């Protein structure tokens, strides 16, 4: 495998972004964070790519920030006081217009947890471990953890993880909604890529409109959120829905089939 700390692979309409520092449990220093952000920027700007999968090389997803780089003039992460700059781990303050999936093996802790939360879906292996392990070192969650975690699993469960820093195994993570699927050891990436291709095969305008509404609705009262959902979905009806309805009338995609 290449010695580059971040690998970028295209697989038709899916890209696979791999943290490649297995000797450091894929911990992220400043240069790695920049490369990771550049990889996600390339995905976001490529109109031919529809879904991204984020994973880690070796036995772990990501153990967070490389604490040996903190304070180092060249290897340290990008941190500034206003919060307007990029997240220290690279892409964590980006807002994507297309789906992203995390394929999690081993540790997804501290900033690694935050990276997994950045993605729309999390596919975890049965031995995966999640946790705010940075609690013990006095390192704050500034890569989205205090925002995304309560939105995904609820405030009470999020505070349990954030205040205690305890380890959460895959089975519990599934039960609380932190992960979407649990797979056998060695299978998370394969399942995530298969799922990415399935999502990429759907009519994209409709899927992206629905996805965008899910994220946007947090900012509005119920009535306004419902209005915006309708307004965003209206152009899709002529663009994709009429064709889809015609295909359904011809017997395509019935009885739970997702075939085109």
């Amino acid at each position: 495998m290449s010695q580059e700390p971040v690998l970028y692979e295209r697989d038709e309409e899916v890209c696979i972004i791999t943290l490649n520092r297995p000797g450091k449990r894929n911990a992220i220093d400043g240069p790695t964070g920049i490369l990771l952000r550049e990889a996600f920027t390339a995905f976001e700007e490529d109109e031919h790519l529809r879904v991204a999968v984020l994973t880690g090389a070796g036995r772990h997803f990501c153990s967070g920030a490389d604490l040996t780089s903190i304070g180092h003039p060249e290897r340290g992460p990008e941190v500034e006081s206003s919060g307007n700059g990029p997240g220290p781990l690279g892409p964590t303050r980006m807002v994507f217009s297309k789906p992203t999936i995390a394929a999690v093996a081993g540790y997804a802790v501290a900033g690694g947890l935050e990276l997994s939360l950045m993605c729309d879906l999390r596919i975890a292996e049965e031995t995966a471990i999640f946790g705010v392990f940075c609690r013990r070192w006095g390192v704050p969650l500034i890569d989205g953890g205090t925002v995304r975690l309560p939105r995904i699993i609820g405030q009470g469960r999020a505070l349990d993880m954030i205040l205690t820093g305890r380890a959460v195994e895959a089975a519990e993570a599934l039960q609380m909604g932190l992960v979407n699927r649990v797979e056998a050891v060695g299978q998370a990436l394969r399942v995530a890529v298969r799922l990415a291709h399935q999502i990429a095969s759907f009519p994209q305008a409709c899927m992206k409109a629905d996805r965008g509404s899910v994220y946007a609705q947090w900012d509005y009262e119920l009535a306004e959120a419902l209005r915006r959902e309708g307004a965003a979905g209206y152009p899709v009806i002529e663009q994709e829905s009429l064709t889809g309805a015609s295909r359904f009338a011809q017997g395509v995609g019935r009885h739970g089939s997702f075939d085109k």
Side-chain angles (χ1 to χ4, degrees), residues 38-58:
E38 290 175 349
F40 274 99
T41 299
F43 158 69
E44 180 68 17
E45 294 178 350
D46 191 329
E47 63 182 16
H48 301 294
L49 291 173
R50 294 183 169 185
V51 185
V53 174
L54 175 63
T55 191

Side-chain angles (χ1 to χ4, degrees), residues 24 38 69 72 81 97-98 110-111 117 144-145 156 167 175 180 197 219 222 226 250:
K24 290 276 191 178
E38 290 175 349
S69 73
H72 192 282
S81 61
S97 64
K98 300 180 282 189
L117 297 172
Q175 184 272 330
N180 301 92
H197 280 290
D219 297 331
L222 178 60
L226 291 170
Q250 297 169 23

Side-chain angles (χ1 to χ4, degrees), residues 155-179:
Q155 181 169 302
R157 284 171 166 157
L159 283 171
D160 176 31
M161 291 184 67
I162 290 169
L163 296 180
T164 67
R166 70 182 181 88
V168 174
E169 297 181 355
E172 183 183 1
L174 179 66
Q175 184 272 330
M176 68 170 60
L178 177 55
V179 303

